[in-house]
């Protein structure tokens, strides 16, 4: 939730909303004046009598696109090395710089004087142009990991076709994407998550199973207490089911061949309501190994599998750890 709010909603989403809203507000959604701009036009058209104050004012404009020129190549280098986290962190950091640029340049103040100052208008156009191009490059770069968001941003920028068109990622450079005449329909890319509300919902979801567990179980009374010596006579062993088949004319019994490590046995289990014979083969189980043989449905069963249930549930076989071996003693 923190990453979505910080990197997506406050990062890419906020920059997209601010940029496109300014293009809509200050240029009526038109990109016509922005399309003619190139990387050096702002410097080339600087007033001849511009002093040091002008240079300082324009420095964010000059450096903004220069920083971004290397972003696509660096992003692809990270991705080629399977460092997708590093690639995205590089992009999110660059997008935070674009937000800082907006604060430094303050387009809303430039807008107040651009009607009487042609160079102020050029500064505004240049700022909006570089921000638009930053978003266009971002849409291409995020397309492999967020295709739907990337396509939505691509369309809002006024661009046609598929953002993930083959070859576009490798060919993307900052000034290479052809700018359309107008932007598209503006819409939020991300919605901020109210962490407090979401965490409360998560806590309620986690608490729900505990409430279900509080429902009384349909089980018999506890059996009479026995001493340790009596219990110690029970020999529990790990076994692996080698074969399993349904017992004819029985709805519950399954006939199994179980490997106990030191021998293989035939064991019948009343577990057909919970398991099919096919899904039992290869399964590790816990067997009461010193139980006297008993005939069931005309078949001798030598042992019993441990299973958990109540009177109304299916049986759940007790399973030893996956790395246990047939013959291990359970104690």
């Amino acid at each position: 939730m923190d990453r979505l709010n910080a990197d997506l909603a406050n990062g890419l989403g906020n920059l997209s909303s601010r940029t496109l809203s300014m293009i809509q507000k200050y240029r009526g959604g038109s990109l016509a004046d922005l399309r003619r701009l190139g990387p050096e036009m702002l410097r080339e058209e600087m007033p001849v009598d511009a002093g040091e104050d002008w240079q300082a004012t324009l420095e964010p404009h000059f450096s903004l696109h220069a920083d971004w020129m290397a972003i696509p190549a660096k992003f692809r280098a990270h991705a080629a090395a399977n460092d997708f986290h590093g690639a995205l962190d590089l992009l999110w950091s660059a997008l935070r710089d674009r937000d800082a640029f907006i604060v430094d340049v303050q387009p809303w103040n430039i807008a107040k004087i651009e009607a009487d100052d042609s160079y102020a208008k050029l500064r505004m156009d240049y700022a909006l142009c570089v921000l638009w191009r930053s978003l266009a490059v971002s849409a291409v770069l995020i397309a492999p990991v967020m295709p739907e968001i990337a396509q939505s941003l691509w369309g809002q920028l006024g661009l046609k076709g598929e953002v993930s068109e083959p070859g576009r990622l490798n060919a993307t450079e900052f000034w290479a994407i052809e700018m359309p005449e107008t932007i598209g329909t503006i819409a939020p890319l991300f919605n901020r998550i109210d962490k407090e509300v979401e965490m409360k919902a998560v806590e309620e979801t986690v608490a729900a199973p505990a409430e279900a567990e509080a429902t009384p179980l349909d089980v018999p009374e506890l059996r009479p207490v026995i001493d340790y010596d009596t219990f110690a006579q029970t020999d529990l062993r790990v076994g692996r089911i080698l074969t399993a088949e349904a017992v004819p004319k029985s709805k519950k019994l399954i006939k199994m061949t179980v490997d106990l490590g030191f021998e293989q046995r035939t064991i019948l289990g009343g577990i057909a309501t919970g398991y099919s014979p096919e899904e039992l083969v290869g399964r590790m189980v816990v067997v009461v190994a010193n139980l006297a043989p008993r005939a069931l449905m005309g078949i001798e069963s030598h042992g019993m599998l441990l299973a958990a249930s109540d009177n109304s549930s299916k049986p759940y076989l007790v399973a030893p750890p996956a790395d246990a071996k047939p013959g291990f003693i359970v104690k």
Side-chain angles (χ1 to χ4, degrees):
M1 288 188 281
D2 288 338
R3 288 298 293 269
L4 188 146
N5 283 342
D7 291 340
L8 303 184
N10 289 347
L12 178 60
N14 187 54
L15 181 66
S16 171
S17 176
R18 295 179 78 180
T19 299
L20 295 175
S21 295
M22 285 191 294
I23 293 174
Q24 183 65 52
K25 180 177 181 179
Y26 301 130
R27 297 295 179 264
S30 173
L31 300 172
D33 290 341
L34 281 57
R35 297 179 67 191
R36 64 188 181 87
L37 300 180
E40 296 299 325
M41 183 169 289
L42 190 65
R43 193 185 303 273
E44 292 167 355
E45 298 194 16
M46 184 187 301
V48 293
D49 57 346
E52 292 183 0
D53 290 343
W54 266 101
Q55 291 281 357
T57 301
L58 296 174
E59 187 54 37
H61 298 72
F62 294 147
S63 63
L64 182 66
H65 81 268
D67 294 343
W68 266 79
M69 294 294 284
I71 293 294
K74 288 181 179 179
F75 187 99
R76 291 193 295 267
H78 280 289
N82 292 327
D83 181 17
F84 307 111
H85 182 84
L88 290 170
D89 270 352
L90 171 76
L91 181 59
W92 303 145
S93 177
L95 290 172
R96 285 191 288 272
D97 289 343
R98 302 315 85 164
D99 259 335
F101 166 79
I102 294 175
V103 175
D104 288 342
V105 173
Q106 299 183 351
W108 46 90
N109 286 333
I110 301 177
K112 297 175 183 178
I113 62 172
E114 65 173 348
D116 302 318
D117 185 337
S118 61
Y119 194 65
K121 181 181 184 306
L122 178 62
R123 287 175 57 204
M124 174 71 88
D125 287 343
Y126 193 87
L128 295 178
C129 172
V130 172
L131 289 169
W132 184 96
R133 290 194 174 280
S134 299
L135 291 171
V137 171
S138 299
V140 175
L141 296 181
I142 67 170
V145 291
M146 290 188 287
E148 293 183 7
I149 293 297
Q151 189 61 47
S152 175
L153 176 57
W154 192 253
Q156 291 186 49
L157 291 169
L159 293 162
K160 307 297 182 183
E162 297 294 324
V163 65
S164 56
E165 180 181 305
R168 196 190 298 279
L169 182 62
N170 290 329
T172 297
E173 298 301 342
F174 191 75
W175 294 96
I177 298 176
E178 186 175 350
M179 191 178 287
E181 292 286 344
T182 61
I183 61 173
T185 302
I186 304 173
L189 287 180
F190 306 97
N191 293 316
R192 280 185 53 82
I193 293 178
D194 187 323
K195 191 173 179 180
E196 184 176 345
V197 171
E198 291 298 324
M199 288 305 299
K200 183 178 180 181
V202 169
E203 290 166 2
E204 291 174 351
T205 302
V206 171
E211 295 175 2
E213 291 173 3
T215 304
L217 295 175
D218 182 11
V219 294
E221 294 287 334
L222 194 65
R223 293 172 182 171
V225 174
I226 61 173
D227 59 30
Y228 175 78
D229 290 338
T230 301
F231 170 75
Q233 296 180 51
T234 304
D235 193 332
L236 302 177
R237 299 292 180 108
V238 171
R240 177 185 285 111
I241 300 175
L242 302 178
T243 66
E245 59 183 282
V247 175
K249 299 182 180 179
S250 174
K251 295 182 179 180
K252 294 184 178 181
L253 290 177
I254 293 179
K255 177 184 175 183
M256 294 162 283
T257 303
V258 181
D259 178 15
L260 291 177
F262 53 88
E263 67 180 20
Q264 296 179 8
R265 293 187 184 177
T266 297
I267 298 178
L268 272 65
I271 55 175
T273 56
Y275 301 91
S276 66
E278 293 77 14
E279 63 183 308
L280 289 170
V281 176
R283 191 182 186 95
M284 302 294 284
V285 290
V286 177
V287 179
V288 182
N290 63 336
L291 195 65
R294 179 185 178 189
L296 297 170
M297 301 289 291
I299 303 171
E300 184 178 78
S301 176
H302 191 184
M304 183 175 69
L305 308 187
L306 293 190
S309 69
D310 71 358
N311 291 332
S312 60
S313 74
K314 68 177 184 179
Y316 295 88
L317 287 171
V318 175
D323 56 351
K325 293 180 172 57
F328 273 16
I329 299 173
V330 179
K331 57 184 177 180

